[in-house]
Amino acid sequence: MNSIPSLLLVHGAWHGSWVWQSLIKQLPDIDIHTVALPSSGNDPTALGDLHDDAAVVKAAVAAIDGPVVVVAHSYGGAPVTEALAAADNVRRIVYLAAFQPDVGDSLFSTAGGVAPPWWEVHERTDLKGQGHIEPSQPREVFYGDVDPEIAEQAVARLGLQSWASTQQPLTEAAWRTIPSTYIICEADNALPPFAQELMAKRADRVLRMNSSHSPFLSQPAELAALIRPELSA
């Protein structure tokens, strides 16, 4: 008997598992899991890196008894891609306005090797590779079509993102062995749609939303309607 896969939701940079609450409410019949990536947090001295994030994702998948579909948002696509190449219970990866890098790519190189103007980079010269990034215009960049009150609450919960997590090149590319779907957010101010289009060429299937970078906050029902068929694809 074929069972419906579980769903693992992996958030992006600066965010946490709290971003998924509205989406989870739209999928009450699905076994849903989330993670908290160590590269995002409030203590700049305790932030993890890409490999720490990948280890958390890998452990979360291994702890799920049965098949799983993984949804990765934004930066979350990088540790998911790094972590899951050998995960035999992952049926599909859904990249939601996410980085879908190849071996040797880092988030920074995939973004063109230049920090976006809305990144406030705080490097530590005393410790090589240390430092963190803050988003300077989160409301405009992440939440363009989100209800103002919800956007304000989200901005208040944002953390710091480790600089190292954006610099480390991938050693694995899970999408080469696991089927993938890319959901392009066509009104995205964080990851430009043209960049999403390029990465989406690596996916087996491409879907689209007329949304900002955060459809789980602005259009959770519509996003759930796109994700649900991917569980049985």
Side-chain angles (χ1 to χ4, degrees):
M1 181 177 69
N2 292 327
S3 61
I4 297 176
S6 298
L7 190 60
L8 176 66
L9 305 174
V10 181
H11 65 82
W14 299 287
H15 291 73
S17 59
W18 52 267
V19 301
W20 301 115
Q21 293 172 0
S22 295
L23 176 64
I24 291 171
K25 291 178 181 178
Q26 297 292 329
L27 297 165
D29 56 322
I30 305 300
D31 176 44
I32 299 178
H33 304 253
T34 63
V35 295
L37 298 181
S39 66
S40 180
N42 295 319
D43 182 351
T45 67
L47 298 175
D49 61 16
L50 173 73
H51 302 297
D52 296 319
D53 292 343
V56 166
V57 172
K58 188 173 184 178
V61 164
I64 296 173
D65 183 17
V68 58
V69 169
V70 179
V71 174
H73 177 242
S74 195
Y75 161 80
V80 164
T81 301
E82 173 72 11
L84 299 182
D88 57 9
N89 64 327
V90 177
R91 296 292 176 262
R92 180 170 293 272
I93 300 172
V94 179
Y95 290 89
L96 172 62
F99 287 86
Q100 188 169 352
D102 205 349
V103 172
D105 294 339
S106 67
L107 184 140
F108 195 71
S109 70
T110 303
V114 178
W118 50 271
W119 279 19
E120 292 183 1
V121 180
H122 303 267
E123 291 188 77
R124 288 184 60 181
T125 56
D126 57 326
L127 291 173
K128 185 178 180 182
Q130 298 299 308
H132 65 273
I133 312 167
E134 296 180 71
S136 63
Q137 299 171 293
R139 173 70 184 277
E140 294 79 8
V141 172
F142 299 144
Y143 311 126
D145 65 341
V146 177
D147 176 88
E149 183 176 351
I150 295 174
E152 183 178 346
Q153 293 170 357
V155 169
R157 299 188 72 170
L158 293 176
L160 310 174
Q161 184 67 25
S162 80
W163 173 246
S165 67
T166 71
Q167 304 297 304
Q168 295 159 311
L170 272 71
T171 64
E172 302 281 356
W175 53 265
R176 290 191 172 274
T177 55
I178 297 172
S180 62
T181 299
Y182 200 104
I183 301 178
I184 295 173
C185 293
E186 296 182 319
D188 194 332
N189 292 325
L191 186 55
F194 77 84
Q196 295 182 51
E197 296 278 2
L198 291 173
M199 288 185 284
K201 292 180 179 180
R202 295 170 171 169
D204 301 289
R205 180 160 52 249
V206 179
L207 305 172
R208 299 174 186 275
M209 295 187 72
N210 182 23
S211 78
S212 70
H213 193 58
S214 304
F216 37 79
L217 296 178
S218 63
Q219 302 180 39
E222 293 84 348
L223 178 58
L226 287 184
I227 290 173
R228 185 178 289 279
E230 300 306 304
L231 296 172
S232 57

